[in-house]
Amino acid sequence: MPKERIVFQFAAYRIMSSRRHALRVAVQTAVATLAVHLLMRPLAPDLESWAVIAALFTIGTSVDATLGAGISRIAGTVLGAGLGLAVTGLLGGSSLPALLLAAVLSNSLAAIWPGLTYAAVMAAIVALDPSPDGRSALALSGAVVLGTIFGTAASFLVWPEFGRNRAVLSLREAMDDCREFLGLIHKGVTTDDRRNRYFLHQRFRGHLFALYDRIAETHFTPQVRSGAGLREAADAVEALWYALVILDRGVISGRARLPDSTVERVRPVLAAVQTEACRLLESASIAAGPGRATPTDPTELKRVLAEARELTLAAAAEGRDIAPAQEQALQALSFALDEMERSLMALMRVIEPECEAPDKVRAA
């Protein structure tokens, strides 16, 4: 299948998976716009558009993002208006030098603190205000602040969604990708499936980038249910993905270099590894979300991984005349299994630390 079609499928997947988020933002936008219209129409109809625009640009992807944008916009508006008034007062009114000085100072501050970009807009508007006392510019600043407050209130009061919940959703999606990757790895023992691998890699990258972006915007309880930080959980699932990539390369290399008899011996053992690893990942996905999963015992996973390693080492030691390429493939597979176990258990310790001692948790 052409790469362009795969990219199109990935874009369609992202659109379909974001429908709920788009609907939530649409509802918040409608409420904020209606509230601004009802207030500004009788009070200051000529400034209504500025208040509506401010509300639209304030509503973010989550309550956390909206609050950050709202605080930055209000601070930028107040700073820009004050700077514009100070410059016009210093230079004797609206003029080109006043505009240049206000624009340079406000944009320089915005370069240091990007959240204050609105200061440059307001400073320029105030510097261009022909009224001697700047009343129209101050009224405009008030409309922007009012619209920002309404946008922030709509995000908090109408279908609120906190950044932590959105980050956890991306985390669970990334873990689901790992489960699907395990299925492709087992399938790779006998067949190659480059199309699905490429699509899955692209999807995981999208989920991982979204995860880190959502963590960056999270201000309220940036933790998973276990108490570990969201950043720590994201790093753990990313490390697991790289370990699975190593395992995938090891399986593909083994299929190409090892005799069919050895491949057939490895296949059921890898199937058992896939089943147990997917079981742990499913439990971790539930534990990371709002529900509470039953503590998972990793003993069986460790057993099948040990069996798989023993099989690869035994196959390497069966004949002294084994080809170097075959021995290298078996060693790579054993190393990949070690990395997968280490990374998966590290993830479980972050998401579901009680999995190390499920009997104690059940007894409690």
Side-chain angles (χ1 to χ4, degrees):
M1 178 178 292
K3 183 178 292 186
E4 292 77 9
R5 186 174 177 183
I6 296 177
V7 173
F8 174 77
Q9 288 181 342
F10 179 65
Y13 164 80
R14 293 195 63 181
I15 292 173
M16 294 298 291
S17 62
S18 302
R19 287 177 298 175
R20 180 180 180 276
H21 168 59
L23 178 61
R24 177 178 57 81
V25 172
V27 172
Q28 292 175 347
T29 300
V31 172
T33 303
L34 180 61
V36 170
H37 171 77
L38 293 177
L39 181 66
M40 296 296 293
R41 178 63 60 171
L43 296 180
D46 54 324
L47 296 176
E48 180 183 349
S49 60
W50 285 94
V52 170
I53 291 172
L56 296 180
F57 278 96
T58 300
I59 296 175
T61 55
S62 65
V63 168
D64 310 62
T66 299
L67 180 61
I71 292 174
S72 297
R73 182 139 304 134
I74 291 175
T77 299
V78 173
L79 177 62
L83 184 60
L85 287 174
V87 169
T88 54
L90 180 64
L91 298 182
S94 176
S95 62
L96 178 59
L99 172 62
L100 290 175
L101 183 57
V104 168
L105 290 177
S106 57
N107 235 17
S108 298
L109 288 174
I112 300 174
W113 294 287
L116 299 178
T117 51
Y118 224 71
V121 177
M122 295 309 303
I125 292 175
V126 172
L128 290 171
D129 184 12
S131 61
D133 55 1
R135 281 178 296 179
S136 61
L138 290 177
L140 176 59
S141 301
V144 171
V145 170
L146 185 65
T148 301
I149 292 174
F150 271 86
T152 304
S155 183
F156 268 88
L157 300 177
V158 180
W159 198 348
E161 182 76 72
F162 288 90
R164 175 192 175 276
N165 296 335
R166 284 174 51 78
V168 168
L169 176 61
S170 291
L171 177 66
R172 298 178 69 181
E173 289 173 335
M175 286 191 286
D176 289 342
D177 291 338
C178 290
R179 290 169 56 195
E180 188 170 339
F181 196 11
L182 281 164
L184 287 178
I185 291 172
H186 176 244
K187 186 178 179 181
V189 175
T190 54
T191 59
D192 194 3
D193 194 350
R194 295 184 181 182
R195 179 179 65 86
N196 284 333
R197 274 178 171 78
Y198 179 81
F199 177 79
L200 187 58
H201 277 286
Q202 292 297 106
R203 194 174 73 188
F204 177 79
R205 287 181 58 191
H207 288 155
L208 189 66
F209 291 157
L211 173 57
Y212 282 117
D213 287 343
R214 292 173 180 182
I215 290 173
E217 74 179 27
T218 300
H219 304 295
F220 302 106
T221 59
Q223 300 172 337
V224 292
R225 188 182 58 81
S226 65
L230 285 169
R231 173 74 63 171
E232 185 180 0
D235 291 343
V237 75
E238 184 179 9
L240 174 61
W241 181 266
Y242 292 141
L244 293 179
V245 170
I246 296 174
L247 179 60
D248 185 45
R249 297 296 183 269
V251 168
I252 293 175
S253 174
R255 189 188 70 225
R257 298 178 180 181
L258 296 175
D260 294 341
S261 58
T262 303
V263 172
E264 287 303 315
R265 291 169 59 190
V266 170
R267 183 178 180 182
V269 178
L270 285 181
V273 170
Q274 175 206 356
T275 300
E276 288 303 313
C278 286
R279 182 176 64 85
L280 260 67
L281 282 172
E282 183 178 7
S283 176
S285 180
I286 296 173
R292 183 175 180 84
T294 302
T296 307
D297 189 349
T299 304
E300 182 62 18
L301 172 66
K302 294 180 179 181
R303 186 192 68 78
V304 296
L305 281 169
E307 182 180 346
R309 284 191 296 267
E310 290 175 2
L311 178 61
T312 57
L313 295 176
E318 281 180 353
R320 296 183 178 180
D321 57 345
I322 186 173
Q326 295 179 359
E327 182 179 5
Q328 186 180 36
L330 290 168
Q331 290 176 349
L333 187 57
S334 178
F335 171 77
L337 291 168
D338 286 338
E339 285 298 301
M340 193 199 87
E341 179 179 7
R342 182 184 62 81
S343 300
L344 181 55
M345 295 314 301
L347 174 64
M348 295 302 293
R349 282 192 291 271
V350 172
I351 303 295
E352 195 181 355
E354 59 267 29
C355 76
E356 294 286 1
D359 295 333
K360 294 181 180 179
V361 176
R362 294 191 186 99

